[in-house]
Amino acid sequence: MAIPQYVRWFKEIRLEDVPMVGGKNASLGELHAACASEGVRVPNGFALTAASYRDALAQAGAVPKLHALLDSLDQTDIALLSERAATAREIVYEATSGAELRQQIITAYRQLEAECGPGCAVAVRSSATAEDLPNASFAGQHDTYLNIRGDEALVEACRRCFASLFTDRAIVYRVNNGFDHFKVALSVGVMKMIRSDLGASGVMFTLDTESGFRDAVFITGVYGLGETIVQGHSDPDEFYVHKPTFKKGFRAVLRRSLGKKQMRMIYADAGTGETTHEFPITEADAARFCLNDTEVLKLAEYAIDVEDHYSEHAGHPMPMDIEWAKDGEDGNLYIVQARPETVISQRSIDSFTTYSLSGTGPILATGRAVGEKIVTGKVRVIADPSELASFQPGEVLVADTTTPDWEPVMKTAAAVVTNRGGRTCHAAIVARELGIAAVVGAGDVTRTLQTGTLVTVSCGEGDVGHVYEGSVAFETAQVPLTGIEHPKTAIMVNLGNPDIAFRSSMLPNDGVGLARMEFIISEHIGVHPMALAKPETVKDSATRAAIAKLVSHYAQPSDFFVERLAEGVGTIAAAFYPKQVIVRLSDFKTNEYASLLGGSEFEPHEDNPMLGFRGASRYAHPAYAAGFALECAALRRVREVMGLTNLCIMVPFCRRVVEGQGVIDAMAAQGLKRGENGLEIYVMCEIPNNVIQIDAFAALFDGFSIGSNDLTQLTLGVDRDSEIVAFDFDESDPGMLEMFRLAVTGAKRNGRHVGICGEAPANDPAIARFLVELGIDSISVNPSSLVRTMTVVRETEAKR
């Protein structure tokens, strides 16, 4: 009788072998055999087949014993579940002690030693498969053993891994998901260990994990072993790379966010009885990224290659969830796991609900937002798992971190808030799967938030999540994503916050008619451009110290401004690529500029900043020319380095034709020459002189965007910030309608694009109808007004 062969090397395994070795090992085999030829580094290893598990149980007569333990088990009886699960694991552990299985494990390990060196360390991971549903995912339910060396330690780890099929959480998971315990088997993967404890590791996705945006690679990373990310012990660094421009040959990191990376997990020394241990990282390590840009781009290349391979194999797009590791000894990057992403990519694309705050309140905590919901509930602080029994459905779960054992309680929570963790930690992953709001990495919330306190958890404001005190008013709207007929008139989006760009791009739209630079400067930079262009002129010592801290990891202070602004603008341009994105140059007033760090030293005091030193008048002026050069450098980086040539630049508040010419000349001197590399330069039509001299302005600029707020203010002589005369601020006044008519017909007479980026068409359908009848080219509104405006415009067009 032939002896069954229980070992399969990765090079022998393909995706079709899921029934034999489970999903994880089948994917490792596919990666090693197919993607490695495309340059993707994958460590070698082997799998113990599911048949080895089944045969071991059959030969030991273990199946009837397991039936007796599990068939009548009430999983809600926590004490009984724990007791019987432990007994089940012991039965499987004993059953897998057979001599033949043991010998095959050792023989395979010796082959791996011959390739990788004597006593090479390996990782031992589970790979479950179900008879009825061979592609079912059992992610996170079974045990992993790291840094295993030597024959005896490896055999022991494999037996413990087999036994982990009956952890408490795995039993509950199978019951909740309708899996028969006895139709699920475990394959064990044994892979050469990458010394990421001396380097770095993490997880990456070939889509954005919050919005589902498909055109980005999202990479997270920490120092040491990546388990600290999943366990939520470390807030990771985050990086985005734009796939379409990467495939065109542009090599640039789209966006990066520095994580706290609180803990580093490394391999424990021999003889300690442990395989790993954690220790806090230094302040210096926390202050720098765990990957440089070259490494981020290499990982993005790997991710794109893996996604393309799996998509081709499946015959349809296949977003991927990929684990990576950087070996601290050889410096190379490796892929150690890849699986199809099964949560975000499976969301319904027919419609989605938008959430927006309509009220405000004191902010109690801030962290990384997971999901897009806003909810209100009472806090329940859980300091220890033993306190989970006190949790009531609908409460806000507040904890240091969460583990898989907490999932039954998390299912009933209104929201989750944790001290630690990034957007790929356990709390974030489960919250995303359950569709509940979560704010992770929020600091010391287990101490600062009190049980019973009413709070509003907001994940509807972009990447940053907030916990507000009390019940803060918010609004929801159901937005359809399919079946909407686009009108002939382009309906575009007004946007300033890069954090919501990916989500907003999935709404029906024709691009971005107004990307406001001010939000990026105030929220993501916070420093006056001149204070970074000429830091030596800053007199206040406290201000100099604050700026020095912000720019400490940059070659020069101005690089901080250029990189941050390019990332913000680039994120918006990438989100809507290849549709047109019109970014407006900075249009702060002097009082707003003065509020930035260092700003008071560069800004004059004006009694009426609304009509003062703003917009085009600043850009070539000696008082701001150096700051304007930084704005231009950032926009050049977006177009030339990132490859986002869909970016169009718009000049605001341009009072006179000669002023417009000066700005165009100043931009050309900074490498932004109109017409070069397809660059279009628009001008805001928001001053009566823009309308009166529209023929002259049309000779300088490629298009116009009507700014109805300022144009109404200056046409009617009404201060739009004054409450006492607010009744006179009327965009539908006959004089204003005539201004709109002259602007649209004047632009079209000169063959120039003309749109409107004020909210007038969204607030007043009559104005939208009037503009459409004039033949305006585009109407740009806030995301929440898109569908409503499209409907009005489409109905108007049908009557023309």
Side-chain angles (χ1 to χ4, degrees):
M1 180 178 178
I3 299 174
Q5 294 300 305
Y6 295 133
V7 171
R8 293 289 187 276
W9 288 90
F10 289 166
K11 66 181 180 181
E12 304 173 309
I13 300 170
R14 294 294 186 276
L15 285 174
E16 293 77 14
D17 294 321
V18 169
M20 178 174 68
V21 294
K24 288 183 184 178
N25 285 337
S27 188
L28 281 169
E30 186 75 21
L31 285 168
H32 192 274
C35 295
S37 63
E38 300 170 12
V40 179
R41 293 180 182 270
V42 183
N44 198 12
F46 59 89
L48 303 178
T49 64
S52 67
Y53 166 83
R54 294 192 179 99
D55 289 355
L57 263 58
Q59 292 165 12
V63 175
K65 299 176 186 177
L66 293 172
H67 270 291
L69 287 171
L70 302 173
D71 286 354
S72 60
L73 175 62
D74 178 6
Q75 60 158 337
T76 63
D77 186 334
I78 302 302
L80 183 62
L81 169 66
S82 179
E83 176 187 329
R84 292 198 178 179
T87 303
R89 290 195 296 274
E90 192 60 34
I91 290 171
V92 174
Y93 176 78
E94 291 299 328
T96 52
S97 63
E100 184 55 46
L101 178 59
R102 171 189 173 84
Q103 187 55 51
Q104 290 195 34
I105 293 172
I106 292 173
T107 300
Y109 180 60
R110 296 279 165 77
Q111 285 183 241
L112 198 59
E113 283 185 308
E115 176 185 327
C116 303
C120 70
V122 295
V124 179
R125 300 177 182 271
S126 65
S127 181
T129 185
E131 289 178 7
D132 295 337
L133 295 167
N135 293 312
S137 170
F138 298 92
Q141 302 307 314
H142 313 115
D143 292 343
T144 293
Y145 298 89
L146 304 175
N147 198 32
I148 304 300
R149 299 172 184 270
D151 297 350
E152 296 305 320
L154 177 57
V155 171
E156 173 73 8
C158 290
R159 293 174 65 192
R160 293 293 180 194
C161 197
F162 278 128
S164 72
L165 191 62
F166 293 99
T167 59
D168 300 20
R169 63 180 180 272
I171 292 172
V172 172
Y173 177 88
R174 289 195 294 273
V175 172
N176 288 342
N177 288 278
F179 293 113
D180 185 333
H181 297 303
F182 300 95
K183 289 186 176 180
V184 176
L186 204 69
S187 167
V188 173
V190 178
M191 173 189 279
K192 177 186 179 296
M193 199 80 211
I194 300 302
R195 292 305 306 267
S196 58
D197 63 320
L198 304 177
S201 58
V203 183
M204 57 184 176
F205 296 83
T206 59
L207 48 60
D208 176 48
T209 55
E210 300 311 312
S211 64
F213 179 71
R214 295 288 185 95
D215 283 346
V217 176
F218 173 49
I219 302 169
T220 67
V222 294
Y223 298 117
L225 304 178
E227 273 68 18
T228 60
I229 296 180
V230 178
Q231 294 169 5
H233 294 179
S234 288
D235 305 339
D237 295 334
E238 297 180 353
F239 310 88
Y240 283 98
V241 175
H242 187 232
K243 289 191 285 188
T245 47
F246 187 95
K247 290 182 177 181
K248 287 186 174 182
F250 293 94
R251 296 294 181 264
V253 177
L254 178 65
R255 197 174 186 190
R256 49 181 73 72
S257 175
L258 186 68
K260 296 177 182 176
K261 305 182 292 295
Q262 295 94 327
M263 306 297 293
R264 182 176 195 140
M265 181 181 286
I266 66 170
Y267 301 143
D269 295 332
T272 62
E274 299 179 342
T275 56
T276 62
H277 75 266
E278 289 183 1
F279 64 90
I281 67 169
T282 65
E283 287 187 17
D285 281 344
R288 62 183 176 87
F289 289 102
C290 66
L291 293 170
N292 60 39
D293 282 8
T294 300
E295 292 167 335
V296 171
L297 295 171
K298 174 56 70 174
L299 286 175
E301 181 181 354
Y302 283 178
I304 292 169
D305 287 345
V306 170
E307 180 182 49
D308 286 349
H309 177 80
Y310 278 68
S311 297
E312 183 179 351
H313 186 276
H316 57 80
M318 184 69 74
M320 299 297 293
D321 172 351
I322 304 167
E323 296 175 23
W324 63 269
K326 176 185 176 182
D327 194 307
E329 292 183 335
D330 64 22
N332 289 321
L333 295 163
Y334 295 85
I335 300 302
V336 296
Q337 185 58 263
R339 63 184 70 85
E341 197 284 327
T342 57
V343 178
I344 307 302
S345 58
Q346 300 304 312
R347 283 180 178 171
S348 168
I349 59 172
D350 294 333
S351 67
F352 73 87
T353 304
T354 62
Y355 294 77
S356 59
L357 284 174
S358 54
T360 187
I363 296 176
L364 302 178
T366 299
R368 302 294 284 172
V370 176
E372 299 162 0
K373 288 187 174 180
I374 302 175
V375 297
T376 298
K378 289 185 177 180
V379 166
R380 175 72 63 176
V381 178
I382 301 295
D384 185 87
S386 63
E387 300 172 0
L388 286 170
S390 66
F391 189 85
Q392 300 298 311
E395 291 182 326
V396 174
L397 174 62
V398 176
D400 183 48
T401 60
T402 66
T403 71
D405 297 325
W406 292 39
E407 290 179 26
V409 166
M410 294 174 71
K411 288 180 179 178
T412 69
V416 177
V417 183
T418 64
N419 290 339
R420 297 183 287 169
R423 289 192 293 167
T424 51
C425 72
H426 175 266
I429 292 170
V430 173
R432 209 172 284 122
E433 290 176 350
L434 298 176
I436 62 176
V439 177
V440 298
D444 197 12
V445 286
T446 51
R447 184 182 63 82
T448 58
L449 298 181
Q450 304 297 317
T451 293
T453 302
L454 185 68
V455 298
T456 298
V457 179
S458 173
C459 296
E461 302 166 81
D463 285 351
V464 179
H466 297 105
V467 180
Y468 293 93
E469 182 179 348
S471 178
V472 177
F474 63 91
E475 298 174 348
T476 63
Q478 193 71 21
V479 181
L481 298 181
T482 58
I484 295 178
E485 182 183 348
H486 285 238
K488 295 177 182 177
T489 306
I491 307 300
M492 305 176 82
V493 185
N494 293 336
L495 201 62
N497 185 355
D499 293 347
I500 64 172
F502 290 160
R503 176 178 42 161
S504 299
S505 73
M506 301 175 75
L507 294 164
N509 73 84
D510 294 303
V512 177
L514 174 63
R516 303 181 189 92
M517 193 182 283
E518 299 85 54
F519 181 92
I520 301 168
I521 294 174
S522 63
E523 297 296 322
H524 295 272
I525 299 173
V527 185
H528 194 286
M530 291 297 292
L532 294 169
K534 297 186 175 183
E536 69 282 356
T537 64
V538 177
K539 299 174 183 177
D540 182 71
S541 59
T543 301
R544 286 202 308 272
I547 293 174
K549 184 176 181 180
L550 285 172
V551 305
S552 60
H553 293 283
Y554 292 84
Q556 50 191 10
S558 58
D559 291 345
F560 168 73
F561 183 93
V562 172
E563 180 179 274
R564 288 294 184 92
L565 184 57
E567 288 182 352
V569 172
T571 297
I572 297 174
F576 291 83
Y577 184 86
K579 298 174 185 175
Q580 184 185 53
V581 171
I582 305 171
V583 62
R584 186 179 67 190
L585 295 167
S586 65
D587 191 25
F588 283 129
K589 289 75 177 175
T590 51
N591 59 320
E592 295 168 333
Y593 267 119
S595 68
L596 297 171
L597 187 62
S600 60
E601 299 192 32
F602 295 95
E603 295 298 327
H605 172 75
E606 295 182 304
D607 291 331
N608 193 347
M610 187 76 76
L611 297 179
F613 190 43
R614 61 174 288 202
S617 64
R618 299 182 68 95
Y619 305 142
H621 195 285
Y624 190 71
F628 183 61
L630 300 187
E631 293 186 31
C632 292
L635 297 178
R636 280 190 64 189
R637 179 179 293 193
V638 173
R639 288 180 54 84
E640 297 175 9
V641 179
M642 295 180 176
L644 296 163
T645 53
N646 59 321
L647 189 73
C648 169
I649 299 173
M650 185 157 64
V651 178
F653 219 73
C654 186
R655 295 178 172 98
R656 297 184 300 142
V657 174
V658 66
E659 194 171 65
Q661 185 63 63
V663 173
I664 288 176
D665 292 343
M667 291 175 64
Q670 298 297 330
L672 291 171
K673 187 175 181 180
R674 179 185 169 205
E676 197 169 272
N677 196 21
L679 174 61
E680 290 188 322
I681 302 177
Y682 284 17
V683 66
M684 291 288 292
C685 185
E686 55 188 343
I687 298 171
N689 198 38
N690 300 143
V691 180
I692 295 167
Q693 294 203 82
I694 198 159
D695 296 320
F697 279 104
L700 292 180
F701 295 99
D702 297 291
F704 297 87
S705 183
I706 300 169
S708 59
N709 287 340
D710 273 335
L711 188 57
T712 302
Q713 173 178 243
L714 296 173
T715 300
L716 300 181
V718 178
D719 181 354
R720 59 188 172 100
D721 288 341
S722 173
E723 294 181 7
I724 199 168
V725 293
F727 60 89
D728 271 335
F729 189 87
D730 183 4
E731 292 157 314
S732 64
D733 182 270
M736 278 308 305
L737 296 181
E738 179 63 9
M739 277 292 190
F740 290 154
R741 187 189 71 79
L742 292 172
V744 173
T745 57
K748 297 186 80 64
R749 179 172 65 247
N750 288 279
R752 296 304 190 210
H753 175 99
V754 59
I756 185 169
C757 59
E759 281 297 300
N763 296 333
D764 188 344
I767 293 178
R769 287 191 285 268
F770 178 75
L771 292 169
V772 171
E773 288 167 356
L774 289 173
I776 197 166
D777 295 309
S778 66
I779 296 174
S780 190
V781 297
N782 289 334
S784 60
S785 305
L786 271 170
V787 175
R788 183 174 71 250
T789 305
M790 275 188 175
T791 301
V792 171
V793 171
R794 190 172 59 250
E795 291 173 351
T796 304
E797 289 178 347
K799 296 176 183 178
R800 290 176 66 185

